[in-house]
Amino acid sequence: MRRTTWPVCAVAVLTLGLGACTAGDDAPAVAAPAPWTAAPDAPEPTLEDPGPVVRDAGYRDAVATFGESEVAVALGRAARVARLSLADCEWWAEGALSPELATLLTPDFLLAVQADVQEMAGDVPMLLSDLPEDDGNGHALADDLAGGCDDGGPLLHAPIDTTVHVGRAGAQPVLVVDGHYGVNVSLGSSDVSANQDWVFTMARTDAGWQVSGATPSANTNWALWRAG
């Protein structure tokens, strides 16, 4: 996978532990967290601007296989997952995820992401990163959250354009999206850029295009470009 060099890199490791233990036969059972599910009246997910896309042989094959409009929707949904994964004030403050993710991810991948969040121990997170205690330059971004959070900035893209091609290793063809994403976030009086490169696998399901797998390049890269 191609790597993008961003201004500042620091390790951002999610440490949300939701384990359970028992002290004996009489110990009360601890219920496992309920899987994230889409509400029956969940709105159609927003399509995010995927940025520039390379119109190469892989793209042309994707258009021939699925149709140009379908490829556009898949790219927009992949970008939306990147947007929600990079910056979500409610997730950082309360551990509450956007309900869109229950529609944008396949059920199996949704469970895998949930397990990743609950059991991560130093590994690179597939999607969701918590705010680091230190961004690599001595700024405690997790502490800055107490001063307010604004995650409404647009999705940004690295100088390297997104690519797409058809994957045919499985029973059904899928789209493989290699994208480079960033979001600017205000935490208190500090402005932060969260950046990540992902390879998304997109499957066409009854719910439309959904992400069925995601491979990040490394931990989220955090760039502080204005500190209060």
Side-chain angles (χ1 to χ4, degrees):
M1 175 177 171
R2 298 166 296 156
R3 291 293 308 279
T4 302
T5 301
W6 299 90
V8 178
C9 178
V11 174
V13 179
L14 186 70
T15 57
L16 176 62
L18 296 176
C21 60
T22 59
D25 293 340
D26 295 332
V30 179
W36 306 323
T37 56
D41 57 349
E44 183 75 8
T46 300
L47 293 182
E48 204 79 36
D49 180 4
V53 179
V54 178
R55 262 61 172 178
D56 58 4
Y59 176 85
R60 292 191 294 273
D61 182 32
V63 169
T65 303
F66 298 108
E68 189 167 19
S69 61
E70 287 291 300
V71 172
V73 170
L75 288 166
R77 284 196 163 197
R80 184 62 176 173
V81 170
R83 175 74 177 78
L84 295 172
S85 300
L86 282 171
D88 188 330
C89 291
E90 189 174 5
W91 157 247
W92 288 329
E94 302 175 13
L97 300 182
S98 168
E100 285 186 67
L101 288 178
T103 302
L104 288 165
L105 310 183
T106 62
D108 286 347
F109 189 53
L110 188 65
L111 291 174
V113 170
Q114 183 182 28
D116 191 46
V117 167
Q118 294 167 356
E119 302 170 7
M120 188 182 307
D123 295 328
V124 175
M126 288 186 290
L127 286 181
L128 301 169
S129 292
D130 207 353
L131 290 171
E133 296 296 334
D134 188 316
D135 71 342
N137 290 317
H139 302 289
L141 301 184
D143 290 345
D144 289 343
L145 182 65
C149 182
D150 181 0
D151 58 8
L155 185 66
L156 307 174
H157 303 276
I160 302 174
D161 294 348
T162 296
T163 64
V164 61
H165 69 269
V166 180
R168 292 189 169 86
Q172 300 294 330
V174 296
L175 278 178
V176 180
V177 178
D178 187 346
H180 314 272
Y181 310 98
V183 176
N184 290 339
V185 185
S186 293
L187 300 168
S189 59
S190 297
D191 292 329
V192 178
S193 178
N195 305 286
Q196 182 60 279
D197 299 349
W198 270 294
V199 175
F200 291 119
T201 300
M202 307 294 299
R204 189 72 171 87
T205 72
D206 291 341
W209 285 104
Q210 294 181 304
V211 175
S212 61
T215 303
S217 63
N219 284 289
T220 299
N221 290 351
W222 300 93
L224 188 73
W225 45 275
R226 183 178 67 84

